[in-house]
Amino acid sequence: MSTSSIAFIGGGNMASALIGGLVQAGQSPQSLIVVEPSEAQRERLAQQFGVRADAEATPRLAEARLVVWAVKPQSFREAAAPCAAHVQRALQLSVMAGIRCDAIVAATGSQRVVRSMPNTPALIGLGVAGLYARPQVSDEERRDVERVFAPTGRTVWVRDEADLDAVTALSGSGPAYVFYFIEAMIEAAQEMGLDAQQARELTLGTFAGATELARRSPEPPQVLRERVTSKGGTTYAALTSMEQDGLKAAFVRAIRAAQRRAKELGDEFGR
Ligand SMILES: NC(=O)C1=CN([C@@H]2O[C@H](COP(=O)(O)OP(=O)(O)OC[C@H]3O[C@@H](n4cnc5c(N)ncnc54)[C@H](O)[C@@H]3O)[C@@H](O)[C@H]2O)C=CC1
Ligand SMILES: O=C(O)[C@@H]1CCC=N1
């Protein structure tokens, strides 16, 4: 894989996370073909990774064994049209939310499609990505895809394509939920008179520590939560307030809204 060309259609955030990982893992920048219309983004790719991106699709795309689709779902159709003639022999790998395999087959002419749903901690090698492969994808091609994701963190294969909508709602969008809770905790800390640096240190330390404890402990999160919650104590006061405000139910509803939106994106922009 490291010597053959990989093409990226779209060279934004998610593409950069994968490109950065590949280059660090020894893929030569010259073997990466990137189609990226934004000049500012092309300059960023050149500066950060030594990758020379093209403003539009070129016949050089036909050299790529793997084509990574990293445009917004809304841009997929427009982005695919000028590439289609060059990419039909390649394995297609999508990071796009919602856009289904059938739409990628129709737009590229390739039957071999893997869909993925990464997340932004991929930028620091701590991502987790859901992967789905059409039956036409070989085991060796699955391993190739795993190698592309390896520098960005963990991967989890799902059996049904529809599960990717759930993965999108959970781990794809998930970092934003965590940042939202971090924001709320920092706001509360400052309201209570702690300064910005203290608020940040205590909040991020709590998230990191609790997450690692949950990962290492054989106990489920519920038991770990109960251990923090002394009878008649402070945690009990906080959790009772959250329950009264319907926070957990609202959070579950929010994740289901994201899942519905992933399906809608496929319906709207994958045709
Ligand atoms: N940002 C996130 O947390 C995640 C994003 N995704 C998916 O990744 C995809 C890309 O998202 P981001 O990287 O965040 O967006 P982004 O906006 O950073 O990158 C998209 C890039 O595509 C380029 N582009 C626009 N039209 C194009 C065309 N016709 N041909 C080639 N390139 C074109 C844009 O200039 C931009 O640089 C989306 O489909 C999104 O659903 C998946 C998981 C997480
Ligand atoms: O918000 C979005 O649509 C994309 C997909 C998952 C994270 N960002």
Side-chain angles (χ1 to χ4, degrees), residues 14 95-98 116-122 127-130 163-179 255 258-259 262:
M14 266 305 136
V95 304
M96 299 176 291
S116 70
M117 181 41 58
N119 64 9
T120 53
V128 58
D163 286 344
L164 279 183
D165 293 338
V167 172
T168 304
L170 201 67
S171 52
S173 297
Y177 315 152
V178 175
F179 299 138
I255 294 174
Q259 181 192 24

Side-chain angles (χ1 to χ4, degrees), residues 21 25 41 48 137 154-155 193 218 246:
Q41 196 55 31
Q48 284 185 339
V137 175
R154 299 158 188 264
T155 50

Side-chain angles (χ1 to χ4, degrees), residues 212-259:
E212 199 48 37
L213 180 59
R215 185 188 284 286
R216 288 194 209 174
S217 172
E219 309 282 15
Q222 184 191 335
V223 170
L224 298 177
R225 168 171 60 74
E226 284 165 1
R227 282 206 191 120
V228 187
T229 314
S230 313
K231 201 159 178 244
T234 60
T235 318
Y236 180 79
L239 292 174
T240 304
S241 171
M242 288 184 201
E243 279 298 303
Q244 275 165 3
D245 287 343
L247 199 66
K248 194 196 252 178
F251 191 39
V252 171
R253 272 198 304 279
I255 294 174
R256 299 306 297 263
Q259 181 192 24

Side-chain angles (χ1 to χ4, degrees), residues 109-137:
S110 169
Q111 294 291 329
R112 288 145 50 234
V113 179
V114 175
R115 276 184 64 190
S116 70
M117 181 41 58
N119 64 9
T120 53
L123 288 162
I124 54 162
L126 291 174
V128 58
L131 299 173
Y132 167 78
R134 291 188 89 223
Q136 290 84 347
V137 175

Side-chain angles (χ1 to χ4, degrees), residues 9-15 35-38 41 70-73 75 78-79 95-97 117-120 172:
I9 315 301
N13 282 314
M14 266 305 136
V35 180
E36 171 51 64
S38 151
Q41 196 55 31
V71 295
K72 298 281 186 196
S75 311
E78 186 196 329
V95 304
M96 299 176 291
M117 181 41 58
N119 64 9
T120 53

Side-chain angles (χ1 to χ4, degrees), residues 59-90:
R60 214 188 134 213
L61 280 173
E63 292 168 22
R65 250 183 67 199
L66 175 68
V67 175
V68 184
W69 293 91
V71 295
K72 298 281 186 196
Q74 290 84 340
S75 311
F76 171 59
R77 240 181 329 156
E78 186 196 329
C83 301
H86 312 297
V87 300
Q88 72 263 38
R89 287 207 314 278

